[in-house]
Amino acid sequence: MKKIGFFCLSLLFVNNYIFAETDVGALTKEAKGIIAAGLRDTDERTRTNAIEIVSSVGIDEMTDDVIALTKDPSGMVRFAAAMAIGDMQYS
């Protein structure tokens, strides 16, 4: 998922940069969709990375999704979610 998501974002950026005007709103919406999919992914590392992106970028509308991941079966995901909630609260 990580490689595919990064590849998609890279391809969108390069395609829009070279061939047309960049619609930042559309790219932002697509990026948020990829991050949301990462929060629901079956791989714990992908979920953890998506949580870190939500926290570092400050995507407030995904805070409820991160809070829900504090009950994830994976300890790594629960830890990342707890850290993200703290970081987002104090940033």
Side-chain angles (χ1 to χ4, degrees):
M1 176 67 190
K2 291 184 289 188
K3 291 180 183 177
I4 293 171
F6 179 75
F7 176 75
C8 290
L9 286 175
S10 299
L11 188 60
L12 284 170
F13 175 76
V14 170
N15 186 37
N16 284 325
Y17 181 75
I18 293 173
F19 299 110
E21 290 289 319
T22 302
D23 181 0
V24 176
L27 290 176
T28 301
K29 183 177 179 179
E30 182 144 3
K32 286 180 179 179
I34 292 169
I35 296 165
L39 292 172
R40 296 184 305 271
D41 198 87
T42 57
D43 181 63
E44 66 184 5
R45 288 173 291 176
T46 302
R47 291 192 307 277
T48 300
N49 288 336
I51 291 167
E52 291 173 358
I53 292 169
V54 170
S55 174
S56 64
V57 176
I59 307 173
D60 294 332
E61 63 263 27
M62 293 185 185
T63 302
D64 290 339
D65 298 323
V66 173
I67 291 170
L69 288 170
T70 60
K71 296 179 180 162
D72 193 90
S74 166
M76 181 169 59
V77 173
R78 290 192 309 269
F79 179 78
M83 292 297 293
I85 292 165
D87 290 345
M88 292 171 74
Q89 181 178 358
Y90 294 109
S91 62

